[in-house]
Amino acid sequence: MFMRLFVCFLATFMANGVARFGYVVLIPLLILSGKLTENQSIQLAIAVMVGYVFGSAALSSLQKRMSLEGIAKISFLVIALSFFACYLDRLPFAWAWIWRFLAGVAASCLMVLSAPLCLSLVKEQHRSYASGFIFSGIGVGVVCSGFILPHFASDIDMAWIFLGAVGLVAFLLSCVFLKTLHPPKNSTHKEAPFKISTFFALLLVSVVLNAIGYLPHTLFWVDYLVRSLHFSKAVAGASWAFFGFGAASGTILSATLAKTLGLKNASSIVILMKSISCVIAMYSTDITWLNLSIFLMGFGTTGNLTITSTMAYHIMGREHFVQASSLVTLAFGIFQAVFSFVFTWALGHFSFYEMFLVSGVALFLAFVVLLPVPKSTFKNN
């Protein structure tokens, strides 16, 4: 059981920790090395987010033909191959964009499946901690990216090889330890229709606002520190690692908060921490305060993912958990992708202060919309 949990941990490690957030470290390196223009480097970041949207939609179709474990294995392989594909930088830019898009599709599938693949097998009293361990893979991936990838600044091509090799190891481990327990859905099997309740709709609105609110930190942070505030690549990479430290601790500590204070109270605290992160980034350019800002955003990002996953489980039930997770990921992916283009356009028209202001307001509204949801909805917490 532990190795199955570990592979689910690797799913979030590869999907968000490396494929999504790890690329943030590479953006200024690719620009300064002359490999890509500023627009191209950011477009590759957005390609993953666009893939997220299609990944959630593709998953429902794939479930009818493949086991959940089979989908996860293929997703691991696609992410690994996408890194090797980006190594071939002499090919047209569209080649890299398509592979980053496919990595986004695969990452979306892994993020949806990481909890359902094992959470239902865990006892109720341990479920919050198991969820925390699974999603801590995001933080660990960010920490590794922040400290390791800046060392490839003088030979950026080797960064792609390194990331591809890590992806292949994760794929091989999934082949060994992900035994099929969730076969393809039988189309003749009748199950209760999936209906979006009022409380789940409010949760989706909160998810959408979180998708908007965390973008300036997670799309531009390293580039902002290097090219706008003129910090060194090493300092900027180390600062980004604080996002990872926050993300890793956020999953575990948010589970403790949920156990102690209940899911709703824990959710409120975590989202408000993300709002405070934006306020700090608005008013300070001191590296100590900036590190605190990115740490809080990391803590809140994975903490919110962990709590939202558990909230969705309680609201929609085990039978519809995969569908609920898929819808959460789809909603998050759509607004993440759309507002990535919006914020990228805004770079040439608005200051970072204004972008952090918009994100802070969005996160505060994400807290407000959950206020009508009664605590009794999560009666087991």
Side-chain angles (χ1 to χ4, degrees):
M1 181 60 189
F2 173 75
M3 287 308 298
R4 188 178 183 89
L5 273 171
F6 181 68
V7 171
C8 292
F9 160 88
L10 288 178
T12 64
F13 176 89
M14 291 304 303
N16 262 15
V18 177
R20 162 69 171 94
F21 294 133
Y23 181 75
V24 174
V25 181
L26 294 179
I27 290 176
L29 305 184
L30 289 165
I31 296 171
L32 294 173
S33 67
K35 293 285 185 180
L36 296 174
T37 65
E38 178 181 4
N39 182 62
Q40 287 176 329
S41 64
I42 294 176
Q43 285 301 318
L44 286 189
I46 294 175
V48 170
M49 302 178 197
V50 176
Y52 257 61
V53 177
F54 290 87
S56 301
L59 184 60
S60 59
S61 176
L62 290 172
Q63 284 183 77
K64 299 174 184 177
R65 300 169 176 82
M66 300 177 63
S67 66
L68 298 187
E69 290 80 4
I71 297 171
K73 293 170 188 176
I74 291 175
S75 298
F76 275 117
L77 181 60
V78 169
I79 290 175
L81 292 177
S82 72
F83 290 127
F84 289 122
C86 288
Y87 169 77
L88 303 173
D89 56 7
R90 293 183 180 179
L91 295 174
F93 176 73
W95 165 266
W97 198 97
I98 290 171
W99 273 102
R100 288 288 293 169
F101 168 81
L102 292 174
V105 174
S108 177
C109 290
L110 286 180
M111 287 304 297
V112 171
L113 295 176
S114 57
L117 279 173
C118 63
L119 212 58
S120 61
L121 306 175
V122 178
K123 293 181 179 179
E124 173 64 34
Q125 63 266 34
H126 301 307
R127 194 168 288 146
S128 293
Y129 293 103
S131 181
F133 173 70
I134 291 168
F135 288 106
S136 69
I138 299 171
V140 174
V142 173
V143 170
C144 292
S145 300
F147 283 117
I148 295 174
L149 294 182
H151 294 290
F152 291 101
S154 60
D155 191 1
I156 196 70
D157 290 338
M158 290 306 299
W160 297 121
I161 299 297
F162 171 76
L163 293 172
V166 172
L168 278 182
V169 171
F171 164 67
L172 293 174
L173 288 174
S174 72
C175 290
V176 175
F177 295 109
L178 273 188
K179 306 300 181 184
T180 300
L181 300 178
H182 301 83
K185 281 189 175 182
N186 188 342
S187 58
T188 61
H189 174 68
K190 293 183 179 180
E191 58 181 29
F194 178 78
K195 295 181 179 179
I196 298 177
S197 67
T198 301
F199 297 149
F200 186 65
L202 291 174
L203 183 65
L204 285 177
V205 173
S206 182
V207 164
V208 163
L209 291 167
N210 269 278
I212 297 170
Y214 94 135
L215 276 174
H217 278 79
T218 60
L219 188 58
F220 305 120
W221 191 258
V222 177
D223 195 40
Y224 169 56
L225 264 59
V226 171
R227 297 198 303 134
S228 294
L229 300 184
H230 307 295
F231 287 105
S232 70
K233 300 181 189 72
V235 169
S239 180
W240 180 242
F242 275 92
F243 179 90
F245 290 131
S249 58
T251 51
I252 304 301
L253 293 181
S254 64
T256 303
L257 281 174
K259 275 287 184 182
T260 307
L261 304 176
L263 275 173
K264 184 179 177 181
N265 288 337
S267 176
S268 297
I269 291 170
V270 166
I271 295 175
L272 288 175
M273 286 177 66
K274 294 173 76 174
S275 300
I276 293 171
S277 167
C278 295
V279 174
I280 295 173
M282 285 167 58
Y283 291 105
S284 180
T285 56
D286 179 80
I287 192 62
T288 302
W289 285 103
L290 290 172
N291 286 343
L292 175 61
S293 173
I294 196 66
F295 175 86
L296 291 176
M297 184 58 72
F299 186 102
T301 296
T302 56
N304 183 252
L305 274 173
T306 302
I307 293 171
T308 298
S309 177
T310 311
M311 290 172 84
Y313 183 91
H314 282 272
I315 294 173
M316 300 306 297
R318 176 176 176 174
E319 184 179 4
H320 296 301
F321 185 37
V322 173
Q323 291 167 291
S325 294
S326 181
L327 192 55
V328 165
T329 305
L330 177 62
F332 190 93
I334 289 174
F335 281 83
Q336 177 182 237
V338 170
F339 276 84
S340 293
F341 284 107
V342 171
F343 282 124
T344 299
W345 169 83
L347 269 180
H349 300 81
F350 299 96
S351 66
F352 275 101
Y353 173 91
E354 291 167 314
M355 284 198 284
F356 288 130
L357 174 61
V358 170
S359 61
V361 170
L363 289 167
F364 183 74
L365 291 176
F367 154 74
V368 171
V369 297
L370 290 180
L371 291 178
V373 181
K375 297 178 184 178
S376 58
T377 306
F378 317 106
K379 57 185 177 181
N380 291 327
N381 287 276

